[in-house]
Each structure stands twice: as structure tokens, then as C-alpha cells.
Amino acid sequence: MKKTSNFENGLIWFGAGVSIAEIITGTYFAPLGFKKGFMAMLVGHIIGAVLLYMAGIIGGRTEKSAMETVKMSFGQKGGLFFVLLNV
């Protein structure tokens, strides 16, 4: 089985951060007008993508899955909360 590199894991999570769900959520910013709404969506995507990219880096360095790395930070029971959110 081929292992993914840090860069590959980062790209996977970056792609998860830039999804249709975030773009649709941006429609809630429509009252801001096009320019301010677009900037709000862009900044939100950048922040989310950076966080998910960093999560991918952690997984790549430790050779663990996303749920296993969550357990590193939040413990076994804390990880269950994120499993439920994921479902």
C-alpha cells in the first residue's frame, strides 16, 4: 500500500476546505453586497483551507488518519464528538 506524502495529505484536506457547502453558505452574506460578500467568502475559505491543510500535514507526519489525529488532541472520548459531527 502506497503511503501519501505530507504534500498529498495537505492537498486532500485543502480540497475538502474549498467545497460547494462553503460557497452556498456565502449566499447568507448577500446583503453585504457583491464586493464585501465576496471578500468575506474568500477570507473564510483561506482560513478554513489553511486549517485543513495543517490537519493534513499532521496526519502525513504521524502517518495516522484524521480521526486518529483528532484523538491525539482531544482524547478518546473527545474524538467521538468529532466522529458524530463527521457522520
Side-chain angles (χ1 to χ4, degrees):
M1 181 167 97
K2 181 186 180 284
K3 293 183 180 181
T4 56
S5 69
N6 287 344
F7 181 71
E8 290 167 332
N9 271 354
L11 287 178
I12 289 168
W13 284 100
F14 178 82
V18 181
S19 68
I20 298 296
E22 285 87 12
I23 294 170
I24 292 173
T25 303
T27 60
Y28 293 120
F29 295 117
L32 294 175
F34 180 76
K35 186 175 180 180
K36 288 181 182 177
F38 182 78
M39 290 306 294
M41 287 189 296
L42 184 64
V43 169
H45 272 86
I46 290 170
I47 292 169
V50 167
L51 291 173
L52 289 174
Y53 180 81
M54 297 307 276
I57 293 294
I58 292 169
R61 288 186 180 163
T62 61
E63 298 182 358
K64 294 183 178 184
S65 71
M67 286 299 118
E68 289 172 320
T69 58
V70 165
K71 290 177 187 175
M72 289 169 43
S73 299
F74 296 97
Q76 185 71 27
K77 291 187 180 183
L80 291 175
F81 174 71
F82 292 95
V83 168
L84 289 174
L85 286 178
N86 200 21
V87 171

